[in-house]
């Protein structure tokens, strides 16, 4: 569905010297996958997401969605940021309906769609509230609903739970799994948390520090288990989960410029 081929991004560094943020990233994402990218700060995770979103042009390579080149932002990609970008002067329901308003959907249809999404994220009783009246977790729920409003082909999530406390973060993980089960949306999520990546991803990508390269890919099934059982304690005690978390942590800590010379790790768990 989404194809990334030899994608590289260069920025201007000191004295206009080029700094390579992404180096020849190639990746195919299929319908209904949750692909999670993680790595140390500066590994290019956000750069990759911004390129997929169309916010940032590639220096080299291509990205296509349903065989159409991505050359800018579009309603076929919904984005959820770490810091919510809700408009404080609009109500919750009007924030959710914002993209539909821009798309020319009638107000009645937009509100009907927004109400359905607020119910999906458990905020059906807060449609008239202002964003400042909501907790951080609730605001992120509104952000997810807004990103889903135009029925995008893929949902892009830029560390959406990084600023939340551990209890709220777990609640948001459960919400995202529930949304995925109900909608089978394709999701690309970036995170610093190995546990979050393993819990949510059907595929986990490990990226090296700058220049960002994919140095490991893991096909994982933990999210299917959580979707069926919702037993977080059992997952965290699972031997395969513990061993894989340890392996990825070691890989991130020892990765560096020399990672380019390492053979990419491929595994199924």
């Amino acid at each position: 569905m989404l194809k990334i081929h030899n994608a590289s991004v260069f920025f201007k560094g000191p004295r206009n010297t080029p700094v390579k943020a992404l180096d020849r990233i190639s990746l195919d994402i299929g319908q209904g996958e949750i692909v999670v990218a993680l790595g140390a700060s500066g590994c290019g995770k956000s750069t990759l997401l911004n390129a997929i979103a169309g916010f940032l042009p590639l220096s080299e390579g291509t990205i296509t969605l349903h065989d159409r080149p991505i050359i800018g932002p579009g309603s076929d990609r919904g984005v959820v940021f770490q810091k919510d970008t809700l408009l404080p002067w609009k109500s919750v329901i009007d924030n959710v309906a914002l993209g539909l308003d821009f798309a020319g959907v009638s107000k009645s249809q937009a509100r009907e769609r927004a109400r359905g999404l607020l119910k999906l994220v458990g905020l059906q009783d807060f449609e008239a509230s202002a964003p400042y009246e909501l907790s951080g977790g609730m605001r992120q729920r509104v952000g997810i609903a807004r990103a889903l409003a135009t029925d995008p082909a893929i949902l892009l999530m830029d560390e959406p739970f990084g600023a939340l406390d551990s209890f709220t973060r777990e609640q948001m993980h459960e919400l995202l799994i529930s949304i995925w089960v109900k909608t089978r949306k394709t999701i690309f999520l970036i995170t610093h948390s190995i546990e979050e990546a393993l819990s949510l991803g059907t595929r986990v990508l490990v990226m090296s520090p700058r220049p960002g390269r994919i140095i490991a890919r893991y096909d994982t099934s933990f999210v299917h288990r959580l979707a069926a059982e919702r037993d977080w304690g059992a997952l965290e005690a699972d031997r395969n989960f513990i061993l894989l978390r340890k392996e990825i942590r070691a890989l991130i800590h020892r990765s560096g410029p020399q990672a380019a010379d390492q053979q990419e790790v491929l595994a199924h768990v």
Side-chain angles (χ1 to χ4, degrees):
M1 187 189 79
L2 181 83
K3 293 182 178 291
I4 303 171
H5 179 67
N6 284 338
S8 296
V9 173
F10 301 86
F11 294 114
K12 285 186 178 179
R15 299 178 182 176
N16 289 326
T17 56
V19 175
K20 186 178 285 189
L22 288 181
D23 185 25
R24 293 167 295 169
I25 296 286
S26 291
L27 173 67
D28 289 351
I29 299 179
Q31 178 65 44
E33 283 195 90
I34 305 178
V35 176
V36 184
L38 79 157
S41 295
C43 72
K45 303 184 299 296
S46 291
T47 300
L48 178 58
L49 184 142
N50 286 331
I52 298 171
F55 300 150
L56 181 69
L58 294 178
S59 304
E60 296 174 349
T62 59
I63 304 178
T64 60
L65 181 59
H66 293 310
D67 296 324
R68 293 189 298 272
I70 290 176
I71 56 175
S75 60
D76 53 358
R77 284 148 287 147
V79 186
V80 181
F81 301 97
Q82 179 176 356
K83 180 175 174 54
D84 74 80
T85 54
L86 303 181
L87 302 180
W89 59 89
K90 285 186 174 288
S91 67
V92 164
I93 193 168
D94 286 339
N95 267 284
V96 174
L98 191 63
L100 297 170
D101 292 338
F102 289 147
V105 177
S106 69
K107 188 169 184 177
S108 61
Q109 289 179 315
R111 281 181 165 252
E112 182 180 358
R113 169 74 173 160
R115 285 193 178 97
L117 289 167
L118 286 173
K119 185 175 182 180
L120 180 67
V121 300
L123 291 178
Q124 61 270 27
D125 296 330
F126 295 88
E127 67 173 59
S129 300
Y132 67 82
E133 297 176 305
L134 306 181
S135 68
M138 294 169 75
R139 289 195 297 270
Q140 281 297 61
R141 288 172 184 252
V142 177
I144 292 171
R146 184 173 65 181
L148 291 170
T150 57
D151 194 22
I154 186 169
L155 186 64
L156 306 173
M157 309 188 77
D158 188 355
E159 298 191 62
F161 314 130
L164 304 176
D165 63 83
S166 59
F167 179 73
T168 304
R169 189 180 304 123
E170 186 172 304
Q171 288 183 318
M172 295 300 293
H173 290 170
E174 291 185 358
L175 173 68
L176 185 62
I177 292 171
S178 175
I179 291 171
W180 177 66
V181 168
K182 291 175 182 176
T183 67
R184 287 301 175 186
K185 280 290 176 191
T186 306
I187 299 171
F188 180 76
L189 182 148
I190 65 173
T191 180
H192 282 100
S193 168
I194 299 172
E195 292 80 4
E196 184 170 81
L198 292 177
S199 299
L200 297 179
T202 60
R203 191 152 37 124
V204 175
L205 312 176
V206 181
M207 296 182 66
S208 68
R210 185 180 298 120
R213 302 181 179 97
I214 297 173
I215 56 174
R217 308 178 194 229
Y218 297 91
D219 292 325
T220 59
S221 59
F222 300 118
V223 68
H224 295 286
R225 177 173 164 183
L226 283 173
E229 302 173 3
R230 302 299 173 94
D231 190 342
W232 294 86
L235 177 65
E236 291 172 354
D238 182 277
R239 183 174 181 272
N240 287 332
F241 185 90
I242 294 169
L243 291 176
L244 188 53
R245 179 177 59 193
K246 182 178 180 181
E247 177 180 328
I248 292 174
R249 180 175 288 114
L251 183 63
I252 291 173
H253 282 309
R254 72 170 180 262
S255 65
Q258 71 276 11
D261 301 322
Q262 297 173 355
Q263 184 175 3
E264 186 175 312
V265 176
L266 300 171
H268 302 270
V269 182

